[in-house]
Amino acid sequence: MTAERRVLPKWFSGLSIKLIATITMVILVVTIVVYLPSLANFRSSWLDDRLRVGVVAARVLDAVPDVMALPRNLTDRLLTSAGANAIVYRREGQSQLIELANPVTPDVVVTADMRQRDLPTLIVGAIDTLFAGPGRTLRIVGEGDLDESLVELLMPERPLRQDMWVYSRDIFLASLVIAAISALALYLLVSRLFIHPVRRLTANMLAFRQEPENASLIIAPSPRRDEIGIVERELAAMESDLFSMLRQRRHLADLGLAVAKINHDLRNTLTSAQLLSDQVATLDDPKVQRLAPRLVTTLDRAIGFAQSVLDYGRETAAPPVMAPVTLRALIEDAAFDARLVGHPSISFRNGIPDDLILNVDAGQFARVLLNLLKNAREALESVRADSPPKEISVSQIDSSDEIVLAFVDNGPGLPQRARDNLFVAFEGSARAGGTGLGLAIAREITEAHGGRLILVDQPVGTRFDIILPKTLRVS
């Protein structure tokens, strides 16, 4: 099945970058919500500090008799410490004023009444000060340290606004650092719990879409019990069903193409059998003994051909169940089933290392080995007895990124007709009476394990290579 190749997004793209951006924005919004009360509190504290200097000035005024005036150097020190142009102390209907030697008449005066400390009023005052224009004068009103006394300060608003901007800058930088650290920590946590599993699901779906008949790509569900775990289990079930359906569809298609050939070949074979049976019925005993084997052989061929077709059509096409298997022992068993062990004229050599363990379905993979070894034996048995020694060998070819198993015989090789239809069911047989199903099934099972079965050209004999991914090897 061909499919358009799709590329997964990199780590900091797709859901990842959206997650980081969302977390950062949420933290910044929360910071802004917290920032306004914090800025209002900073402004309130700043104004309270100035009022405390005004209260100190009021005490000084109380300590001085009414007939005396405060020295100029003392008033200047009081005004400088408060950063004010004038300080007014009101008590019992009387007012006392401390002002600069050359007072300046302000153009714009705004009042900050520190007797009103509700949060909305403080926030509105902070925002007004932060974005106010230059040249405004601030009138700060607050209670004195005595009953029914008031202290008022007149001062430029600019120092307060500058300090508020510095404070806002520090808050912004600190919030940015906290947002970045929090976003990274949350991203790592969420990535571990959600993003990585979603990427695994996405990668699996893209890979399985490319090769839906490769059972090794069926996702292995994790033991999670949440929604992602449910998706993994359902995806695994869907991929298994799709794998079985596609293989069964291939079998049915092959059967449909073979129906005409089956009918023709089977009809001819049974016609020959019927003619022979008629002759047998009219012959004496000596001739019956001579013709009977031919009759049996013809009928056996028809029965075997029909049985192979039925077996291929009924194959369940279940996905392989992977388990560690010692390959050398599996090949030895396949050689025994292929009647190579103790064969009078064919020597068999198993060159697979003892420590090569693969994660495969032993039952299905044994069928591949049996088909290849059986085909090699039948090819060598067709060679004349006076030919050079007949040999079949199985070996592992060195490869850095794949597992390559070579099945080699020194027989007559494959005819061109067999090469042209090598893995096509009912077409790729190299001997009379064969169905061509062996290699078709062998390739199908190999592909289900994520590998390939290929014919390698060589001057003498036949060589088939099974190429498996390195991931199937059990270290």
Side-chain angles (χ1 to χ4, degrees), residues 62 85 150 229 291:
D62 276 342
N85 297 330
L150 292 177
L291 294 176

Side-chain angles (χ1 to χ4, degrees), residues 38-237:
S38 177
L39 182 66
N41 183 66
F42 174 82
R43 175 176 177 272
S44 176
S45 299
W46 196 94
L47 296 176
D48 286 340
D49 291 339
R50 300 306 183 272
L51 280 177
R52 278 191 281 271
V53 177
V55 171
V56 172
R59 291 178 179 176
V60 173
L61 290 175
D62 276 342
V64 176
D66 295 338
V67 296
M68 296 181 61
L70 288 175
R72 172 52 55 185
N73 62 345
L74 179 59
T75 60
D76 290 341
R77 288 172 59 188
L78 291 173
L79 293 172
T80 301
S81 61
N85 297 330
I87 299 175
V88 179
Y89 177 56
R90 304 182 189 278
R91 183 185 176 202
E92 297 177 354
Q94 297 181 353
S95 299
Q96 292 179 287
L97 173 66
I98 303 175
E99 62 180 351
L100 295 174
N102 299 314
V104 179
T105 302
D107 295 329
V108 180
V109 179
V110 292
T111 300
D113 192 347
M114 301 310 296
R115 293 171 295 180
Q116 299 179 2
R117 291 186 174 270
D118 57 287
L119 186 60
T121 300
L122 294 178
I123 291 177
V124 170
I127 294 175
D128 178 67
T129 300
L130 191 65
F131 296 100
R136 292 200 321 183
T137 298
L138 191 63
R139 175 174 171 261
I140 309 172
V141 179
E143 295 180 350
D145 57 342
L146 299 176
D147 294 339
E148 297 182 359
S149 63
L150 292 177
V151 177
E152 297 180 14
L153 280 79
L154 289 176
M155 59 176 296
E157 193 180 38
R158 181 179 179 183
L160 173 59
R161 185 168 59 253
Q162 289 178 339
D163 288 347
M164 289 176 65
W165 275 111
V166 171
Y167 176 80
S168 300
R169 181 199 63 192
D170 295 339
I171 287 291
F172 173 77
L173 294 177
S175 300
L176 197 61
V177 172
I178 293 173
I181 295 175
S182 302
L184 180 60
L186 288 173
Y187 167 76
L188 294 176
L189 178 62
V190 175
S191 177
R192 175 74 176 178
L193 295 177
F194 302 107
I195 299 297
H196 179 69
V198 169
R199 289 180 63 87
R200 175 172 175 260
L201 288 169
T202 304
N204 175 263
M205 287 187 288
L206 293 176
F208 189 81
R209 182 172 180 260
Q210 299 290 330
E211 300 180 75
E213 295 188 51
N214 185 353
S216 65
L217 296 178
I218 296 176
I219 191 170
S222 65
R224 296 177 61 146
R225 297 296 180 184
D226 55 9
E227 288 79 1
I228 290 181
I230 295 174
V231 171
E232 289 177 343
R233 289 188 289 275
E234 292 300 319
L235 179 60

Side-chain angles (χ1 to χ4, degrees), residues 285-451:
D285 290 345
K287 201 166 187 178
V288 170
Q289 297 298 325
R290 181 165 54 88
L291 294 176
R294 293 181 61 188
L295 176 61
V296 173
T297 301
T298 303
L299 291 177
D300 286 345
R301 182 180 300 174
I303 294 171
F305 187 84
Q307 188 62 45
S308 297
V309 172
L310 292 176
D311 291 342
Y312 182 72
R314 288 198 301 261
E315 190 176 349
T316 58
V321 179
M322 307 296 194
V325 175
T326 302
L327 185 60
R328 181 180 178 85
L330 194 64
I331 291 177
E332 292 289 349
D333 293 340
F336 181 82
D337 293 338
R339 303 203 304 273
L340 287 175
V341 178
H343 196 283
S345 61
I346 301 175
S347 63
F348 172 71
R349 182 176 64 85
N350 186 354
I352 300 299
D354 293 330
D355 60 349
L356 181 57
I357 301 176
L358 300 183
N359 203 31
V360 297
D361 187 312
Q364 293 191 18
F365 206 70
R367 295 181 61 188
V368 178
L369 304 176
L370 177 59
N371 277 322
L372 294 177
L373 295 176
K374 182 181 176 183
N375 288 347
R377 174 182 62 78
E378 292 174 347
L380 290 175
E381 286 177 343
S382 66
V383 179
R384 294 182 307 173
D386 58 350
S387 61
K390 304 172 184 178
E391 297 178 353
I392 298 176
S393 65
V394 183
S395 59
Q396 180 184 3
I397 308 300
D398 292 335
S399 178
S400 59
D401 54 355
E402 292 177 319
I403 301 170
V404 181
L405 308 175
F407 292 73
V408 182
D409 67 68
N410 61 346
L414 293 175
Q416 189 59 42
R417 174 184 172 279
R419 289 172 175 267
D420 294 340
N421 302 281
L422 192 58
F423 299 107
V424 180
F426 308 107
E427 296 289 343
S429 177
R431 61 185 176 85
T435 61
L437 292 176
L439 288 178
I441 293 174
R443 185 185 67 168
E444 192 173 76
I445 293 175
T446 305
E447 290 177 348
H449 284 75

